[in-house]
């Protein structure tokens, strides 16, 4: 009988998880020994509790790890030294026994809690130094399934949501707890839908049995029966859909399990694994098929050699097509999650994946297909990389294409291929802000295009003129740029009879660009004319496609851009109206479909627009309107925050600040306090990164909360928040007193002011502290402007006021007089002279 | 190989970790005692679909040779029912032997009425009880009950429990009470 030892290593905080895993493996023992002649033996540190002597105990544990084929290490908030040393033992063992496996998983931590530094350090060591994969889990059932599949992935099946091994259901893995299933949004929605429908069906069937006994209500019973029939059909559909997704995920997990992925892996595979745990199995499929396709080819190398030329070509075309589809999936999936604040919008693994796929496609084409096919793939690669924002890489492909055309004879369309390559190079250079070079390439492209006897695509020419206009405009040559833009517009408008939505969409974006161009050169009248044309086209698109949010976003962007323009030239009335139009346009989408509303791209657009609309309403003192817009901002940020999609926390913090400000102005202090508390909670999650601005914002929000409590005379709470604020500032200043005392001097003064109503004694204490630092700064000759002397005077004046010390007030007055042009001094002088 | 079925009952949340620990402890004894030990704990038999299967549990109690029940601050309704069923089965068929472990705890709160009822039942039925503070005590007593079913004896040498020339793992002798 084969013996398989498994070691479970966890820190003390995960003792329950460890016991559950051990019990799980123990419960599999009989099944494995009866069906596979395998004796499973599980170990953990509990097995060595009987040893009193610490060193002997650790040696025994390490010996047991060395004999284990599979070692599973789980971590939570701390990476205990002994658990890490066990991992090191297991890792050393891999070198000599390559078939051994190590799984490292980190249990998810609540949003409001933070891991110990040791966890971060260990993660960094795993990922950067060792290069070992580490996953995450929320429920221990995820790890149970990993172990089960590792032990025997060929015999495990999934049916009706249950995992079975040799026809025996494994009762203690609940599929609804396993990460890759529960994190799949579509699947978890379907499970919810199934529960709801089952409950409804149960209710209807219960009612039917009641009406069975009531003869007079035949009509009601028939209605219920038909409802029940519909429900059953719906349930069947849901079950089928659930089974299909579950099966897809399961099949993929088997594939992943067969791969030796837990040791060093490429960025591609690492990304795939992360996505798998996050429930996005479609993404994983699209990424892993690079490997799969290559494997198919490698395996069939001999078979390919025996094929006829035609079959070889078909085979290569099949592989190329597979990669092409995968690239499309990859781009579509990533475009929903683009961070618009980041220039390099698509993630690095995505870029690597696109590039590696094109390289594979080229190798097939060069081996089995024609030169024409190869140049078309090169152009396709250059285009795709340009569209996904990888400009340097796109230029590399253009150069490759030009070299290819120079060294190989292609009988037809050579000029048009060259024109295309020049065009893409020019477009890339434009994005890289190398405008003069870009202009040269685009002009060359136009020339070649005009020389090409086969040319017919006028839309193609229009696009080149448009980009040329852009490039020249950026070099501040208005007249020339205007000429090119007009050429582009003429071509589009002369083909207006085409008038399908696709064409209108292009036309609207041309108008949009030209409108921006005129505004850039302050040609208001021309810009307004084009703006109106653009608005008409966009409105038409929205009317034709009421459920397509993209057109509403486009129309909103048009308004938004104009609003920003008018705002910049201080036409606030007009700007305000346009911001509101932009927001209203987006809000119409919310009514169209909730699904669209949850689109990340849309949420970001709605935040930016509503934030400005709200801000604009605030400046015009239209507080109710502002409230409406800011609420939408908050909702969108909360949604992104709760779903871990928020990449830029400053938006959320800004939205919360606006709410606090708004409700304070509306004198709804209790509501303002609620938002202040929410802001504190957000800061609490951020300050762990010890980012200075966040710490400062955190402390300032605490003081703001204190001031709000002061307003409603809740002094106990006010003091608690004030203390928190002071504590944070003092802790911060401890780290670098020299540079942060200038911050603290103001903060002590502000804190003293906040203490005004709470405790006079404390107020005096903090005025004194602020005064002490002022003196220190003055003595260190850091008071060039006299600002600290003025603040010292103000501090002294208040201390004199509170302690009835007229001498101190006189001294403060004399000091303030020396710096009478400063604001702090002015307060002292005014107060003193008024009292006298 | 002789099969020894063992039922372990306790309140589901209060002793979750201990129940799993005992289960794993029992599994580790198999090699030492040349016995096929089949411990039964609820979490390894429940699926989320059908919920608790009390009839299946009762069948398991009836088939077991030994049954152990652990109680702490409260005696849960289901555990109490299982204890009563086990005792009834023992009276009717001589199986399973019943042992109850009662956790000693110190707090100012009054004793829960369910524990008072349990104590009355235990006295009335003359069921053997063991008081414990440390889980190692429970494991040690369970080991002794199992050894009664075999020809082996336990010895304590150098603070380690030795049975059939093998060390019993997962028990810390220094933490066993009243040894």
């Amino acid at each position: 009988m084969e013996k398989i030892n498994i070691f479970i290593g966890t820190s003390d905080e995960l003792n329950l998880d460890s016991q559950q895993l051990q019990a799980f493996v123990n419960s599999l023992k009989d099944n494995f020994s009866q069906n596979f002649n395998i004796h499973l033996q599980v170990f953990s540190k509990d097995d060595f509790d009987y040893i009193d002597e610490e060193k002997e105990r650790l040696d025994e544990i390490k010996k047991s790890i060395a004999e284990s084929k599979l070692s599973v290490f789980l971590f939570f908030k701390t990476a205990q030294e002994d658990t890490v040393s066990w991992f090191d033992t297991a890792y050393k063992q891999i070198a000599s026994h390559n078939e051994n496996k190590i799984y490292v998983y980190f249990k998810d931590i609540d949003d409001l809690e933070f891991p110990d530094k040791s966890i971060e350090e260990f993660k960094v060591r795993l990922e950067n130094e060792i290069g070992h994969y580490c996953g995450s889990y929320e429920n221990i059932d995820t790890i149970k399934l990993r172990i089960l599949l590792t032990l025997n992935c060929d015999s495990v099946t999934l049916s009706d949501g249950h995992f079975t091994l040799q026809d025996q259901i494994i009762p203690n893995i609940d599929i609804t707890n396993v990460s890759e299933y529960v994190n799949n949004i579509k699947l978890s929605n379907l499970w919810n839908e199934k529960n709801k429908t089952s409950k409804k069906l149960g209710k209807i069937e219960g009612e039917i049995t009641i009406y069975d006994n009531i003869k007079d209500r035949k009509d009601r019973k028939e209605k219920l029966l038909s409802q029940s029939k519909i429900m059953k059909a719906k349930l069947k559909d849901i079950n089928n859909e659930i089974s299909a997704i579950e099966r897809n995920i399961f099949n993929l997990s088997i594939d992943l399990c067969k791969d030796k992925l837990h040791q060093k892996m490429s960025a591609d595979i690492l990304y795939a694994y992360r996505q798998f745990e996050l429930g996005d199995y479609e993404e994983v499929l699209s990424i892993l098929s690079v490997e799969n396709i290559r494997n198919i080819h490698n395996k069939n190398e001999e078979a390919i050699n025996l094929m006829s030329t035609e079959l070889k070509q078909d085979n290569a075309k099949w592989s190329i097509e597979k990669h092409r589809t995968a690239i499309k999936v990859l781009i579509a999936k990533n475009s929903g999650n683009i961070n618009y604040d980041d220039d390099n919008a698509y993630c690095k693994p995505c870029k690597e994946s696109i590039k590696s796929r094109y390289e594979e496609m080229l190798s097939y084409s060069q081996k089995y297909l024609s030169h024409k096919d190869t140049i078309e793939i090169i152009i396709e690669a250059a285009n795709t990389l340009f569209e996904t924002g990888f400009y340097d890489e796109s230029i590399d492909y253009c150069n490759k294409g030009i070299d290819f055309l120079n060294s190989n004879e292609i009988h037809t369309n050579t000029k048009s291929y060259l024109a295309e390559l020049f065009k893409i190079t020019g477009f890339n250079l434009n994005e890289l802000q190398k405008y003069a070079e870009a202009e040269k390439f685009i002009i060359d492209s136009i020339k070649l295009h005009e020389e090409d006897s086969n040319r017919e695509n006028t839309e193609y020419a229009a696009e080149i003129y448009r980009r040329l206009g852009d490039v020249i405009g950026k070099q501040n040559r208005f007249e020339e740029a205007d000429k090119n833009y007009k050429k582009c517009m003429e071509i589009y408008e002369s083909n207006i009879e085409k008038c399908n939505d696709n064409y209108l969409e292009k036309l609207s974006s041309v108008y949009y660009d030209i409108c921006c161009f005129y505004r850039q050169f302050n040609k208001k009248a021309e810009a307004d004319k084009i703006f109106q044309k653009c608005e008409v086209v966009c409105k038409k698109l929205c009317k034709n496609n009421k459920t397509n949010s993209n057109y509403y976003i486009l129309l909103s962007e048009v308004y938004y851009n104009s609003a920003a323009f008018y705002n910049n030239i201080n036409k606030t009335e007009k700007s305000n109206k346009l911001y509101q139009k932009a927001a209203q346009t987006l809000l119409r989408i919310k009514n169209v479909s909730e699904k669209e509303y949850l689109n990340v791209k849309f949420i970001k657009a709605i935040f930016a627009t509503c934030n400005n609309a709200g801000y604009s309403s605030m400046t015009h003192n239209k507080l109710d309107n502002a409230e409406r817009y800011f609420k939408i901002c908050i909702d969108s940020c909360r949604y992104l925050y709760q779903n871990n999609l928020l990449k830029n926390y400053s938006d959320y913090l800004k939205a919360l600040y606006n709410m606090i400000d708004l409700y304070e102005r509306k004198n709804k202090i209790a509501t303002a306090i609620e938002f202040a508390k929410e802001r504190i909670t957000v800061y609490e999650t951020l300050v762990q990164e010890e980012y200075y601005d966040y710490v400062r914002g955190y402390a300032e929000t605490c003081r703001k909360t204190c001031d709000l409590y002061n307003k409603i005379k809740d002094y106990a709470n006010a003091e608690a928040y004030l203390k928190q604020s002071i504590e944070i500032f003092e802790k911060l200043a401890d780290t670098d007193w020299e540079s942060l005392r200038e911050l603290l001097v103001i903060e002590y003064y502000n804190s003293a002011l906040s203490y005004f109503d709470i405790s006079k004694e404390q107020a005096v204490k903090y005025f004194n502290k602020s005064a002490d630092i002022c003196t220190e700064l003055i003595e260190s000759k850091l008071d060039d402007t006299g600002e600290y002397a003025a603040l010292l005077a103000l501090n002294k004046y208040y201390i004199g006021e509170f302690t009835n010390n007229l001498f101190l007030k006189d001294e403060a007055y004399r000091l303030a007089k020396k710096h009478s042009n400063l604001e702090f001094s002015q307060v002292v002088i005014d107060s003193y002279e008024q009292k006298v | 190989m002789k099969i020894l079925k063992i039922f372990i009952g306790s309140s589901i949340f209060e002793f979750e970790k201990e129940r799993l620990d005992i289960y794993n402890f029992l599994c580790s004894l198999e090699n030492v005692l040349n016995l096929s030990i089949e411990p039964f704990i609820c979490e390894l038999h429940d699926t989320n679909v059908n919920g608790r299967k009390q009839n299946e549990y009762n069948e398991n109690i009836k088939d077991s040779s030994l049954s152990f029940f652990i109680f702490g601050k409260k005696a849960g309704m289901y555990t109490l029912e299982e204890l009563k069923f086990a005792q009834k089965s023992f009276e009717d068929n001589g199986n399973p032997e019943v042992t109850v472990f009662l956790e000693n705890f110190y707090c100012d709160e009054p004793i829960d009425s369910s524990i008072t009822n349990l104590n009355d039942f235990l006295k009335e039925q003359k069921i053997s009880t063991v008081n414990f503070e440390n889980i190692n005590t429970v494991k040690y007593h369970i080991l002794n009950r199992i050894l009664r079913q075999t020809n082996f004896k336990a010895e304590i040498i150098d603070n380690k429990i030795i049975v059939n020339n093998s060390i019993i793992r997962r028990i810390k002798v220094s933490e066993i009470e009243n040894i």
Side-chain angles (χ1 to χ4, degrees):
Chain A
M1 191 180 270
E2 190 193 345
K3 196 176 167 192
I4 294 183
N5 286 358
I6 300 162
F7 180 82
I8 313 283
T10 65
S11 39
D12 291 340
E13 54 193 346
L14 289 179
N15 200 280
L16 178 61
D17 283 8
S18 166
Q19 294 286 4
Q20 285 182 332
L21 283 188
Q22 293 170 59
F24 173 69
V25 176
N26 278 322
S27 75
L28 294 175
K29 267 181 172 179
D30 283 350
N31 198 322
F32 271 78
S33 69
Q34 281 161 21
N35 295 313
F36 311 107
N37 208 21
I38 290 174
H39 177 73
L40 294 179
Q41 189 76 42
V42 62
F43 292 99
S44 77
K45 68 178 170 56
D46 304 328
D47 282 274
F48 305 94
D49 270 355
Y50 69 95
I51 305 171
D52 289 333
E53 215 258 306
E54 188 62 12
K55 193 179 171 299
E56 187 192 341
R57 204 170 71 89
L58 289 176
D59 286 347
E60 283 297 315
I61 292 175
K62 287 185 176 174
K63 210 170 127 192
S64 139
I65 293 170
E67 288 165 1
S68 296
K69 268 198 173 175
L70 171 65
S71 302
V72 180
F73 296 98
L74 307 180
F75 294 91
F76 190 36
K77 289 182 200 161
T78 47
Q80 273 174 223
E81 219 173 281
D82 49 359
T83 324
V84 173
S85 81
W86 300 338
F87 165 80
D88 290 334
T89 308
Y91 192 73
K92 269 182 209 157
Q93 201 58 23
I94 293 183
S96 50
H97 293 82
N98 208 21
E99 73 275 15
N100 288 4
K101 275 194 170 186
I102 303 175
Y103 285 174
V104 181
Y105 281 88
F106 291 86
K107 189 168 185 164
D108 293 345
I109 297 175
D110 279 355
D111 286 349
L112 297 177
E113 291 182 89
F114 302 100
D116 187 75
K117 223 176 175 180
S118 59
I119 284 285
E120 292 306 321
E121 283 167 4
F122 183 54
K123 267 190 186 172
V124 168
R125 191 157 80 87
L126 272 180
E127 288 181 359
N128 298 350
E129 288 175 34
I130 303 175
H132 189 90
Y133 177 76
C134 55
S136 62
Y137 76 100
E138 195 183 339
N139 190 293
I140 196 66
D141 286 3
T142 306
I143 312 297
K144 288 181 191 169
L145 182 62
R146 299 278 182 278
I147 294 177
L148 178 66
L149 292 178
T150 309
L151 290 174
N152 192 338
C153 61
D154 290 323
S155 308
V156 180
T157 52
L158 173 68
S159 70
D160 294 334
H162 297 289
F163 297 101
T164 59
L165 183 65
Q166 294 293 99
D167 299 329
Q168 279 183 36
I169 289 185
I170 309 288
N172 40 355
I173 302 181
D174 181 352
I175 193 169
T176 62
N177 288 332
V178 178
S179 298
E180 53 268 31
Y181 295 89
V182 71
N183 288 341
N184 186 293
I185 296 169
K186 199 171 172 192
L187 183 61
S188 71
N189 285 344
L190 281 165
W191 283 336
N192 286 338
E193 191 67 25
K194 183 183 170 179
N195 282 341
K196 272 188 212 162
T197 316
S198 301
K199 270 184 196 167
K200 272 186 198 166
L201 182 64
K203 213 174 154 191
I204 291 170
E205 289 193 327
E207 245 187 284
I208 291 171
T209 52
I210 295 168
Y211 285 108
D212 269 344
N213 304 322
I214 307 171
K215 282 178 188 167
D216 303 346
R217 297 299 307 272
K218 217 175 173 182
D219 53 335
R220 174 71 185 149
K221 193 186 159 187
E222 268 167 22
K223 203 176 166 189
L224 286 170
L225 278 171
S226 93
Q227 276 180 3
S228 147
K229 210 173 160 186
I230 294 167
M231 285 287 172
K232 278 179 186 163
K234 190 180 171 190
L235 206 55
K236 199 178 162 194
D237 287 346
I238 294 173
N239 278 331
N240 286 341
E241 221 175 319
I242 286 176
S243 298
I245 298 177
E246 286 179 350
R247 212 172 30 247
N248 282 339
I249 298 177
F250 181 72
N251 290 341
L252 184 59
S253 62
I254 299 282
D255 283 349
L256 290 176
C257 191
K258 281 178 183 169
D259 284 336
K260 284 189 171 180
L261 295 182
H262 282 72
Q263 273 87 55
K264 279 195 175 183
M265 51 176 75
S266 67
D268 238 17
I269 310 284
L270 187 77
Y271 178 67
Y273 240 85
R274 291 267 142 80
Q275 292 304 311
F276 179 67
E277 283 173 1
L278 291 172
D280 197 346
Y281 75 93
E282 285 167 324
E283 173 91 336
V284 185
L285 274 177
S286 74
I287 291 164
L288 282 187
S289 55
V290 170
E291 309 292 315
N292 294 346
I293 295 166
R294 197 178 295 153
N295 285 342
I296 291 167
H297 265 268
N298 291 341
K299 274 179 207 157
N300 295 334
E301 196 78 49
E302 275 180 40
I304 291 168
N305 286 338
L306 297 172
M307 282 177 185
S308 68
T309 315
E310 246 174 56
L311 265 178
K312 277 180 190 168
Q313 285 177 350
D314 282 350
N315 196 40
K317 278 179 188 166
W318 175 86
S319 301
I320 288 171
E321 207 42 56
K322 272 219 117 187
H323 281 302
R324 193 168 276 141
T325 316
I327 290 170
K328 275 184 198 161
V329 172
L330 202 60
I331 290 172
K333 287 241 123 205
N334 277 272
S335 63
N337 300 322
I338 289 178
N339 180 1
Y340 289 96
D341 304 330
D342 187 353
D343 287 341
N344 206 352
Y346 285 82
C347 59
K348 212 177 156 200
C350 172
K351 176 173 88 174
E352 292 305 323
S353 187
I354 293 173
K355 271 175 67 181
S356 68
R357 277 170 201 284
Y358 277 119
E359 285 306 315
E360 295 273 323
M361 286 160 79
L362 276 177
S363 78
Y364 299 138
S365 171
Q366 282 170 336
K367 242 177 172 176
Y368 305 110
L369 303 177
S370 67
H371 289 334
K372 185 175 167 282
D373 291 311
T374 305
I375 188 68
E376 280 176 2
I377 289 172
I378 293 174
I379 290 172
E380 185 187 325
N383 247 325
T384 310
L385 287 163
F386 166 70
E387 276 161 15
T388 43
F390 303 125
Y391 307 119
D392 288 319
E393 289 79 0
S394 172
I395 291 175
D396 287 346
Y397 270 95
C398 290
N399 290 336
K400 204 183 249 188
I402 294 165
D403 289 346
F404 186 82
L405 286 172
N406 285 335
S407 52
N408 293 288
E409 252 186 55
I410 299 169
H411 299 294
T412 52
N413 291 339
T414 312
K415 276 187 182 170
S416 74
Y417 289 139
L418 208 53
E420 182 69 17
L421 289 166
F422 283 163
K423 183 195 89 176
I424 304 168
T425 309
F427 287 8
N428 278 305
L429 289 167
N430 181 22
E431 296 296 337
L432 293 169
Q433 299 180 354
K434 295 174 181 172
Y435 303 123
E437 279 178 77
E439 186 184 344
K440 204 174 139 278
F441 273 99
I442 297 173
I443 289 172
D444 285 349
S445 165
I446 292 176
K447 277 182 194 161
L448 280 168
H449 181 71
E450 283 167 354
E451 281 170 25
D452 184 4
S453 54
N454 294 323
R455 76 171 196 273
E456 51 182 27
N457 189 354
T458 47
E459 208 178 299
Y460 176 88
E463 276 304 307
I464 303 183
Y465 286 125
R466 175 186 179 180
R467 202 67 70 143
L468 189 58
D470 183 30
V471 170
I472 296 172
K474 280 173 184 157
Q475 296 174 81
N476 283 325
R477 281 146 49 203
F478 174 76
E479 305 293 330
E480 279 176 74
D482 188 33
K483 222 161 90 182
N484 281 296
Y485 270 127
K486 277 183 176 148
K487 266 189 190 173
C488 161
M489 206 159 59
E490 268 166 31
I491 297 172
Y492 269 111
E493 285 177 346
S494 64
N495 283 307
I496 200 89
E497 71 275 7
K498 283 188 181 173
C499 217
N500 58 37
D501 286 341
N502 194 13
Y503 193 80
L504 285 178
E505 196 181 333
K506 279 183 189 162
L507 183 61
S508 69
S509 76
V510 168
Y511 285 145
Y512 182 78
D513 276 3
I514 298 175
C515 182
C516 293
F517 163 72
Y518 282 135
R519 282 189 179 139
Q520 184 195 333
F521 286 92
N522 221 8
K523 307 276 177 194
K524 270 181 272 174
E526 287 91 335
D528 280 351
K529 215 168 123 188
I530 303 289
F531 166 72
Q532 279 162 12
K533 282 187 181 184
C534 187
E535 189 185 10
V536 169
V537 176
C538 288
K539 276 185 175 173
K540 196 168 180 184
L541 279 168
C542 291
K543 204 179 160 191
N544 292 350
N545 304 276
K546 283 184 181 156
T547 53
N548 188 337
S549 62
N550 286 331
Y551 295 130
Y552 286 89
I553 294 174
L554 185 68
L555 179 59
S556 168
E557 268 176 32
V558 172
Y559 289 134
Y560 183 83
N561 196 285
S562 302
F565 170 74
Y566 284 110
N567 194 29
N568 281 344
I569 56 168
N570 291 328
K571 300 243 175 190
T572 42
E573 196 68 37
K574 196 162 184 177
S575 148
N576 190 23
K577 271 186 189 160
L578 284 162
Y579 274 132
Q580 288 186 13
K581 266 190 173 184
Q584 280 158 5
T585 310
L586 285 178
L587 291 177
R588 282 175 67 191
I589 311 174
K590 195 180 170 185
N591 299 332
V592 172
S593 145
E594 196 186 342
K595 203 175 152 196
E596 294 287 354
Y597 179 61
L598 299 181
N599 175 315
V600 176
K601 186 179 161 193
F602 169 64
I603 290 179
K604 285 181 177 168
I606 208 164
F607 174 83
T609 313
C610 289
N611 185 55
N612 279 20
Y615 196 71
S616 173
S617 302
M618 277 271 270
T619 50
H620 289 81
N621 219 14
K622 291 180 177 168
L623 298 185
D624 288 340
N625 279 354
E627 185 179 4
R628 200 172 139 238
Y629 292 124
F630 285 153
K631 265 187 179 169
I632 295 162
C633 291
I634 279 287
D635 283 348
S636 58
C637 287
R638 279 179 183 154
Y639 174 81
L640 293 174
Y641 182 65
Q642 281 155 12
N643 290 285
N644 288 328
L645 298 166
L646 197 68
K647 286 183 183 155
N648 186 355
Y649 279 87
S650 62
D651 281 350
Y652 191 10
L653 293 168
K654 201 192 295 169
L656 287 165
Y657 177 85
N658 287 339
M659 284 308 228
I660 300 166
D661 193 19
L662 173 83
Y663 285 112
E664 198 182 359
R665 281 211 214 175
K666 287 187 113 185
N667 211 19
K668 289 184 179 174
I669 305 298
T671 319
I673 288 173
E674 287 310 309
F675 283 105
K677 283 182 182 170
E678 190 176 337
R679 200 165 191 251
I680 290 172
T681 312
V682 178
Y683 271 122
E684 277 167 352
T685 62
L686 296 170
V687 287
Q688 290 302 314
E689 300 181 12
E690 291 177 3
Y691 186 47
Y692 166 74
D693 280 350
Y694 284 146
V695 181
R696 190 174 172 176
Y698 179 30
E700 278 170 358
T701 311
C702 287
R703 189 158 39 72
K704 180 78 200 170
T705 316
C706 152
D707 291 341
L708 292 168
Y709 272 120
N710 266 336
K711 281 196 173 179
I712 54 168
K713 296 186 178 160
D714 181 348
Y715 298 124
N717 268 317
E719 189 171 13
Y721 278 99
L722 188 55
K723 275 184 180 166
Q724 199 178 339
S725 162
I726 295 168
E727 203 178 293
I728 298 163
F729 273 119
E730 285 180 339
K731 217 169 155 188
L732 184 69
D734 274 350
T735 58
D736 182 5
W737 174 254
E738 286 295 313
S739 51
L740 292 172
R741 62 186 167 174
E742 291 172 38
L743 166 75
L744 205 61
V745 71
I746 295 291
E747 282 316 314
Y748 276 144
Y749 167 74
N750 284 332
S751 302
L753 292 183
S754 297
Y755 260 124
F756 254 38
D757 296 325
I758 305 168
S759 154
K760 298 231 166 5
E761 205 178 295
Q762 289 292 327
V764 170
K765 181 181 156 188
Y766 286 102
F767 281 130
N768 266 322
K769 281 193 171 205
S770 175
D772 287 347
I773 304 177
C774 283
T775 314
E776 193 182 313
L777 288 163
I778 296 163
E779 281 169 3
S780 312
K781 299 193 174 152
L782 288 168
D783 192 25
D784 300 340
T785 55
E787 193 109 9
Y788 295 121
L791 182 59
L792 178 63
L794 188 53
N795 278 318
K796 282 190 173 179
Y797 183 83
Y798 279 131
I799 298 166
E801 180 82 21
F802 279 124
T803 54
N804 279 330
N805 187 338
L806 289 176
F807 172 72
L808 206 57
K809 282 164 83 173
D810 283 344
E811 191 189 326
Y813 178 66
R814 279 196 302 277
L815 187 58
K817 272 281 194 188
K818 283 185 192 168
H819 306 278
S820 56
N821 56 330
L822 295 169
E823 208 178 313
F824 288 135
S825 299
Q826 211 53 54
V827 178
V828 178
I829 294 165
D830 289 350
S831 312
Y832 186 87
E833 287 175 355
Q834 222 170 18
K835 292 228 166 160
V836 170
Chain B
M1 199 188 273
K2 189 181 170 186
I3 297 173
L4 188 68
K5 289 193 174 190
I6 299 172
F7 183 88
I8 301 154
S10 74
S11 17
I12 192 93
F13 296 116
E14 198 177 349
F15 291 107
E16 186 183 7
K17 204 164 80 184
E18 287 78 3
R19 205 167 44 245
L20 286 161
D21 191 12
I22 292 168
Y23 175 87
N24 291 322
F25 166 66
L26 291 172
C27 291
S28 76
L29 291 178
E30 275 196 345
N31 297 343
V32 179
L33 303 179
N34 289 330
L35 268 179
S36 171
I37 298 178
E38 289 183 12
F40 183 98
I41 56 172
C42 60
E43 48 266 80
L44 295 177
H45 290 81
D46 268 349
T47 61
N48 69 325
V49 207
N50 300 319
R52 197 178 172 85
K53 299 169 179 171
Q54 200 59 50
N55 287 342
E56 194 190 317
Y57 291 3
N58 289 346
E59 280 305 306
N60 264 291
I61 293 172
K62 238 198 261 176
D63 289 349
S64 298
S65 306
L66 298 172
S67 67
F68 300 102
F69 294 89
I70 309 170
F71 293 97
K73 287 177 185 144
K74 278 180 185 171
M77 191 180 73
Y78 289 119
T79 323
L80 211 54
E81 250 177 56
E82 284 157 8
L83 170 66
K84 285 177 182 172
F85 186 85
Q87 180 61 13
K88 177 86 180 36
S89 170
F90 179 70
E91 279 167 11
D92 294 348
N93 317 309
N95 260 347
E97 192 184 300
V98 179
T99 309
V100 172
F101 295 97
L102 299 168
E103 190 190 23
N104 292 331
F105 54 88
Y106 307 98
C107 70
D108 298 335
E109 288 170 38
I111 293 169
D112 191 78
S113 62
S114 62
I115 291 291
T116 320
N117 292 341
L118 170 73
N119 282 329
D120 292 345
F121 175 74
L122 293 173
K123 266 183 203 161
E124 191 187 303
Q125 298 290 324
K126 293 177 186 159
I127 295 172
S128 69
T129 60
V130 177
N131 286 11
F132 76 99
E133 271 173 46
N134 190 298
I135 195 68
N136 283 293
T137 308
V138 177
K139 289 192 215 168
Y140 182 64
H141 281 273
I142 290 178
L143 175 69
N144 279 327
R145 294 286 191 280
I146 293 171
L147 290 178
R148 274 192 221 160
Q149 310 267 331
T150 69
N151 296 324
F152 299 119
K153 278 189 177 171
E155 286 178 285
I156 298 181
I157 303 168
D158 289 343
N159 247 6
K160 293 177 180 94
I161 301 175
I162 313 286
V163 175
N164 192 18
N165 296 325
S166 301
I167 296 170
I168 301 294
R169 293 163 175 268
R170 303 183 79 103
I171 292 192
K172 220 174 182 174
V173 172
S174 57
E175 289 182 2
I176 303 171
E177 295 136 313
N178 304 322
I179 192 167

